[in-house]
């Protein structure tokens, strides 16, 4: 078994859709970035790649490449999972935390877990998603951005 960690931050901006874990969340602002800026999926991708000691998300999917402009991050997540499969790894479980002062994410956690489960083709019970605020402190607390942490355990699959 191997463990990996991922962390990502995106800035909140008006005129963008807020997408977390591939789920569109109603809010007055969205995350800014080259792709759909799904900070949660980006953290998960880096946790998975890190567990396999593969190059990070920016190396695998360079933001300078026009192919990734506005791309749905679930596509990137699936590709990262495919990379792991090619190396003979399966995903044991994933745990992640989204840090956002607003909006309140608890109503969307189940949908996010269901979505990640279908993209990764692993049971929902093996995917934990949590959300917290920082009590108004720091950039997340001031509503300037949203961050996400993820850890993933992967295992060698016997073929
Ligand atoms: Mg990112």
């Amino acid at each position: 078994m191997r463990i990996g960690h991922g962390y990502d931050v995106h800035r909140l901006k008006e005129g963008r859709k807020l997408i977390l874990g591939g789920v569109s969340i109603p809010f007055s602002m969205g995350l800014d970035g080259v792709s759909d800026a799904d900070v949660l999926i980006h953290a998960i991708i880096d946790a998975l790649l890190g567990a396999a000691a593969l190059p990070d998300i920016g190396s695998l999917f360079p933001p300078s490449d026009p192919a990734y402009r506005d791309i749905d991050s679930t596509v990137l997540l699936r590709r990262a999972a495919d990379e792991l499969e090619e190396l003979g790894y399966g995903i044991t479980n994933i745990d992640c935390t989204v840090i956002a002062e607003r909006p309140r994410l608890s109503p969307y956690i189940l949908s996010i877990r269901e979505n990640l489960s279908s993209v990764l083709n692993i049971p929902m019970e093996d995917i934990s998603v949590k959300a917290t605020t920082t009590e108004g402190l720091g950039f997340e607390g001031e509503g300037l951005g949203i961050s996400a942490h993820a850890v993933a355990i992967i295992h060698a699959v016997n073929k």
Side-chain angles (χ1 to χ4, degrees), residues 135-147:
E135 304 281 335
L137 297 170
F139 67 85
E140 300 102 327
E142 289 171 21
L144 300 174
I146 293 178
S147 65

Side-chain angles (χ1 to χ4, degrees), residues 7-10 32-35 37-43 46 57 73:
Y7 172 68
D8 195 27
V9 175
H10 281 264
D32 195 18
V34 170
S35 65
D38 191 326
V39 69
L40 173 58
I41 286 191
H42 294 181
D46 262 349
I57 183 171
S73 292

Side-chain angles (χ1 to χ4, degrees), residues 90-156:
I91 299 165
T92 309
N93 74 301
I94 294 169
D95 180 28
C96 33
T97 306
V98 180
I99 300 143
E101 198 67 27
R102 286 185 315 137
R104 211 168 72 85
L105 298 175
S106 56
Y108 306 100
I109 296 292
L110 190 62
S111 311
I112 291 172
R113 289 176 64 215
E114 281 170 350
N115 193 46
L116 294 173
S117 165
S118 81
V119 173
L120 292 170
N121 200 22
I122 61 172
M124 212 174 78
E125 292 69 34
D126 296 335
I127 303 169
S128 154
V129 177
K130 308 179 300 301
T132 188
T133 70
T134 57
E135 304 281 335
L137 297 170
F139 67 85
E140 300 102 327
E142 289 171 21
L144 300 174
I146 293 178
S147 65
H149 292 264
V151 286
I153 290 190
I154 62 171
H155 57 269

Side-chain angles (χ1 to χ4, degrees), residues 8-43:
D8 195 27
V9 175
H10 281 264
R11 192 182 288 271
L12 276 164
K13 190 184 174 186
E14 280 177 18
R16 293 269 305 180
K17 274 201 223 169
L18 179 60
I19 302 186
L20 291 172
V23 173
S24 191
I25 294 169
F27 190 50
S28 57
M29 290 188 283
L31 294 172
D32 195 18
V34 170
S35 65
D36 63 4
D38 191 326
V39 69
L40 173 58
I41 286 191
H42 294 181

